[in-house]
């Protein structure tokens, strides 16, 4: 998981977003950590889940990252027929590439010279997690969730994305069963690049819509 | 949530601690096993109100919501949970000592 401020990992207290920083295993046991241990043990003892299933699920989520979405995007750029299938049914197109999308309905929204898409979940934190992994902290924040629908251009400017007025901004509000992924605009000057090289250009934020893919 | 006024977006990110990953895994597994659905998770989260949203972290709210759904569903009782949490407190002072993982 990318992070810009590793010094915060061992920082105590509450961030200005209201979220505590990470507590490591050697820090005092919290009430909520005790609850996690208790719930997990009671589920295992009740025969509802096994410890191995919990460990396997953690491994599965750890293995999902924006790199998965990036290869899907790169193929869509390079392969017009795949791009059409992706825009038609992103769940099926992603499964075709070997990614486990589960029962989710995944919808790819395409950026063009005239339309820029950005995704949000105003209710909670719905995110194309099967393709991109767990969402960044800011995606789950009150600030991002509320402001992206009320003033998307201001939010995009905070992320360094300046769009001319001629570009329409479309905001897509995710639900538990319906998740969006942005198919970013392929940058000029990338003609003839391999899919592998293209995939390396594709950032997580470009697939959320809070970033643009830059030419190398 | 949508449309409410709010300040600048804090861009700091953190790696998830193991207890947070376990909460996430428990939610996915509870859904897969049919114990309750993501709608049940969301209902419990919504019921917490704004104060809880401000005071507690994301996965703190999640484990509280998971626990509420499991007790309501009769998977275990409030008493069983309380007893277990007391017992866990005696295992040690850190998550590492108490985690049983």
């Amino acid at each position: 998981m990318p992070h810009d401020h590793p010094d915060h990992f061992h920082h105590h207290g509450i961030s200005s977003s209201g979220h505590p920083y990470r507590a490591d295993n050697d820090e005092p046991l919290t009430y909520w950590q005790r609850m996690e241990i208790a719930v997990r043990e009671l589920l295992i003892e009740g025969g509802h889940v096994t410890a191995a299933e919990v460990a396997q699920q953690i491994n599965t989520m750890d293995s999902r990252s924006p790199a998965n979405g990036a290869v899907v995007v790169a193929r869509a750029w390079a392969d017009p027929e795949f791009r059409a299938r992706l825009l038609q049914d992103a769940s099926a197109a992603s499964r075709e590439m070997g990614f486990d999308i589960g029962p989710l309905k995944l919808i790819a929204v395409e950026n063009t010279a005239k339309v820029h898409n950005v995704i949000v979940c105003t209710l909670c934190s719905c995110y194309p997690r099967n393709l991109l992994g767990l969402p960044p902290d800011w995606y789950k924040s009150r600030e991002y969730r509320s402001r992206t629908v009320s003033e998307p251009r201001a939010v995009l400017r905070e992320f360094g994305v300046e769009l001319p007025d001629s570009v329409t901004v479309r905001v897509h509000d995710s639900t538990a069963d319906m998740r969006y992924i942005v198919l970013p605009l392929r940058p000029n000057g990338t003609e003839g690049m391999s899919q592998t090289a293209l995939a390396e250009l594709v950032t997580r934020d470009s697939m959320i819509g809070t970033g643009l893919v830059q030419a190398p | 949530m949508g449309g409410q006024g709010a300040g600048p977006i804090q861009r700091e990110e953190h790696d998830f601690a193991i207890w947070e990953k376990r909460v996430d895994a428990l939610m996915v597994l509870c859904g897969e096993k049919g114990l309750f659905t993501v709608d049940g998770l969301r209902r419990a989260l919504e019921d917490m109100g704004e104060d809880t949203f401000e005071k507690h972290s994301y996965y703190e709210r999640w484990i509280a919501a998971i626990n509420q759904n499991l007790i309501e569903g009769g998977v275990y009782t409030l008493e069983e949970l309380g007893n277990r949490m007391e017992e866990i407190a005696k295992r040690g002072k850190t998550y590492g000592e108490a985690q049983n993982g």
Side-chain angles (χ1 to χ4, degrees):
Chain A
M1 167 136 308
H3 45 74
D4 299 330
H5 301 277
D7 53 313
H8 284 161
F9 291 166
H10 301 283
H11 186 94
H12 293 259
I14 304 291
S15 77
S16 49
S17 69
H19 291 179
Y21 292 105
R22 171 184 177 181
D24 273 319
N25 282 359
D26 56 352
E27 293 181 1
L29 183 65
T30 69
Y31 175 84
W32 303 104
Q33 289 172 342
R34 281 195 290 133
M35 185 180 282
E36 179 278 313
I37 299 166
V39 169
R40 174 162 43 90
E41 290 180 356
L42 291 170
L43 282 171
I44 291 169
E45 288 164 22
H48 301 287
V49 302
T50 67
E53 285 174 325
V54 176
Q56 179 56 47
Q57 175 58 28
I58 291 172
N59 286 341
T60 299
M61 274 319 298
D62 279 349
S63 73
R64 291 172 177 155
S65 81
N68 295 5
V71 300
V72 173
V73 167
R75 181 163 173 205
W77 284 345
D79 177 348
E81 288 179 9
F82 179 77
R83 174 179 154 277
R85 292 200 295 280
L86 182 71
L87 295 174
Q88 178 77 33
D89 182 345
S91 304
S94 301
R95 285 190 197 108
E96 181 188 322
M97 293 192 68
F99 296 117
D100 167 28
I101 300 301
L104 295 182
K105 181 168 175 55
L106 186 66
I107 299 171
V109 286
E110 183 182 33
N111 285 351
T112 66
K114 292 180 178 171
V115 176
H116 181 87
N117 297 282
V118 57
I119 63 173
V120 65
C121 176
T122 58
L123 275 173
C124 181
S125 53
C126 298
Y127 183 76
R129 53 158 54 205
N130 284 41
L131 204 52
L132 303 187
L134 293 172
D137 289 340
W138 53 259
Y139 186 86
K140 304 183 287 191
S141 73
R142 167 186 295 272
E143 292 81 8
Y144 181 77
R145 291 162 52 207
S146 62
R147 290 182 54 218
T148 298
V149 288
S150 61
E151 46 173 3
R153 285 177 196 270
V155 167
L156 291 176
R157 269 196 298 278
E158 279 180 41
F159 281 86
V161 177
E162 287 279 357
L163 298 171
D165 287 344
S166 59
V167 174
T168 301
V169 176
R170 286 193 188 138
V171 179
H172 302 270
D173 194 358
S174 316
T175 69
D177 308 313
M178 201 168 73
R179 318 282 171 112
Y180 295 93
I181 182 170
V182 175
L183 175 56
L185 200 56
R186 178 173 177 168
N188 292 326
T190 57
E191 298 78 9
M193 283 177 67
S194 70
Q195 284 186 37
T196 306
L198 287 170
E200 286 175 9
L201 303 178
V202 180
T203 61
R204 177 195 67 198
D205 287 8
S206 74
M207 293 180 280
I208 300 175
T210 52
L212 301 175
V213 179
Q214 309 293 337
Chain B
M1 178 59 62
Q4 287 182 12
I9 294 158
Q10 306 298 319
R11 301 275 296 281
E12 294 86 357
E13 297 178 25
H14 80 294
D15 278 348
F16 294 103
I18 184 65
W19 83 270
E20 294 178 300
K21 292 183 179 188
R22 283 177 173 147
V23 172
D24 197 272
L26 289 175
M27 180 58 224
V28 172
L29 290 169
C30 283
E32 286 180 3
K33 306 286 182 183
L35 294 174
F36 65 97
T37 68
V38 72
D39 299 318
L41 177 82
R42 177 160 294 147
R43 175 186 52 79
L45 291 170
E46 299 281 334
D47 285 350
M48 289 175 192
E50 283 199 35
D51 192 48
T52 306
F53 192 90
E54 294 297 335
K55 283 185 182 161
H56 298 295
S57 74
Y58 184 77
Y59 282 112
E60 288 175 349
R61 284 179 268 128
W62 268 41
I63 191 60
I66 291 168
N67 177 58
Q68 185 183 327
N69 275 277
L70 291 174
I71 289 175
E72 285 174 2
V75 176
Y76 52 77
T77 65
L78 186 59
E79 189 182 8
E80 287 176 295
L81 177 84
N83 289 342
R84 184 59 57 98
M85 285 180 69
E86 270 184 42
E87 190 242 290
I88 290 165
K90 293 174 190 155
R91 293 181 192 166
K93 290 192 179 338
T94 68
Y95 184 79
E97 289 170 320
Q99 63 180 323
N100 186 24

